[in-house]
Amino acid sequence: MKKDVFLIGSGQTRFGEWWEKSVRDLLYEAVDSALESSPCTALDIDMVIVANMIAERTNGQAHLGALASSLLPHNPPALRVESACASGAVALHTACGLLESGRAKNILVVGVEKMTDVPTAEVSSALMGAADSEKDAPSGLTFPGIFGLIAQSYMHEHNLTRERLNTVSATHHRNAMENPFAQFRREIPAEKISQSAPVADPLCMLDCSPVSDGAAACILSTEKESDVKIAASQLATDAVSLTERENITSFSATKQAMEKALEEADVDRSNISHLEVHDCFSIAAVINMEDLGFAEPGKGIELYEQKEPVPSINASGGLKACGHPVAATGIKQIIDVSKQLRNSGNRWGLTQNFGGACASCGIHILEHTHV
Ligand code: COA
């Protein structure tokens, strides 16, 4: 990073089904709690960046930059960022660039999504905007279908059994029991995962992240300091359509973003203690572990089979159990890793947030400076 960018405040709503709250209400709750936790006042915010993917489709609401800015007394300049489910990470990356350039000193980054106002079929269709509308969508695929294909291919290539894959969601549900902001806070035995309703073979309902409402906000600053800073902020992209990929059992955008992030933070991956990764579907979590370099190809599941994996993986409950209001996720991951670093006293943590079938990927490395 060209300048020290500190995480000086953060807050989120609980993720879940919030029928009685509007997009504005969710934004307000997250922003208010982020400001409350920070040493700055609303008037110190000189820019607002909103991450959102599908509010036009689910809530008839565009123009979210101005909407969020109007929650502050002085209506600071604002913009909206969209990069499918990676919108949160891309908004954070945009904020880092503006802070590093000196254009702003304190930026409020807030991700919001309110998905449960419309039926699942409508949400699925809106989410397919993250895929290739000419090359993937006409076949009738949805995102569970895309990751069903990826899971089929991975299980065939690496002899992964359906039973072993159950460990991923079971672990995430267990982790979420301690998280008051998680959508689902109940333990689910591993065997129940593959007994849940089939969605897109071999994936069942409990392999899928749910449809969720929620918002998460961070305040990033070059003016005020805190004990957690952003040591790296990197993005990478890949072909949007699966038909243009050489391989669908590994995601090159994760690999590229990870290499660049490790170099930027000047840290070895073996020193990273906490991970929050993008487990939109159980198979994605396995692939992520390999692409991030914590497991050899075909061995990602072994990390989930360890009692206490090092580094910790989705101690929050991940997307599966916390919920996945898509554009809020990348920002919520930063909040979780910062809490984990403060609780453990460890120095390094990492978030990986991707969009589509990892056609865009954002990786942030956080450093706890008071260790
Ligand atoms: N995990 C756990 N429980 C879930 C769930 C999930 N993924 N999805 C729904 N449920 C629960 C609901 O809370 C509800 O429980 P209740 O009866 O106690 O209230 C019940 O299951 C039925 O929910 P419903 O909303 O009718 O489910 P659905 O069949 O409409 O949707 C999925 C289920 C899996 C299809 C939907 O969650 C989905 O599409 N997930 C993927 C979202 C996605 O693609 N995100 C982008 C990733 S790239």
Side-chain angles (χ1 to χ4, degrees), residues 172 175-179 182 275-276 313-319 321-322 332-333 336 340:
H172 291 153
N175 291 352
M177 289 170 71
E178 300 294 319
N179 182 354
L275 305 176
E276 286 289 329
I313 313 165
N314 290 1
S316 68
L319 284 59
C322 290
K332 166 257 180 214
Q333 290 177 324
D336 288 327
Q340 291 158 21

Side-chain angles (χ1 to χ4, degrees), residues 59-139:
N59 319 102
Q61 180 68 65
H63 216 170
L64 290 170
L67 191 80
S69 173
S70 70
L71 300 173
L72 304 181
H74 57 312
N75 285 78
L79 57 95
R80 169 186 173 178
V81 167
E82 187 282 314
S83 192
C85 303
S87 299
V90 177
L92 289 158
H93 183 76
T94 307
C96 288
L98 289 164
L99 289 163
E100 286 175 292
S101 76
R103 274 214 171 242
K105 289 181 180 150
N106 301 298
I107 302 187
L108 170 68
V109 189
V110 55
V112 68
E113 215 76 61
K114 181 157 169 52
M115 303 164 76
T116 69
D117 283 358
V118 296
T120 305
E122 175 68 15
V123 176
S124 301
S125 153
L127 291 171
M128 269 306 279
D132 191 311
S133 66
E134 291 174 47
K135 297 182 176 174
D136 297 331
S139 62

Side-chain angles (χ1 to χ4, degrees), residues 17 85 120 124 127 143-144 184 186 199 205-206 208-211 280-281 320 324 326:
E17 291 189 39
C85 303
T120 305
S124 301
L127 291 171
F143 263 95
F184 299 116
R186 57 175 189 270
V199 173
M205 186 173 82
L206 292 174
C208 306
S209 56
V211 169
C280 50
F281 298 93
K320 172 66 207 71
H324 182 30
V326 293

Side-chain angles (χ1 to χ4, degrees), residues 239-258:
V240 174
S241 174
L242 289 191
T243 63
E244 292 176 2
R245 304 272 182 94
E246 273 176 25
N247 178 346
I248 62 166
T249 56
S250 167
F251 301 143
S252 75
T254 301
K255 291 180 174 170
Q256 285 175 43
M258 181 62 166

Side-chain angles (χ1 to χ4, degrees), residues 336-358:
D336 288 327
V337 168
S338 66
K339 285 181 189 163
Q340 291 158 21
L341 289 171
R342 285 174 176 137
N343 285 341
S344 67
N346 290 323
R347 184 165 176 192
W348 300 100
L350 178 145
T351 65
Q352 178 236 18
N353 175 213
F354 72 63
C358 204

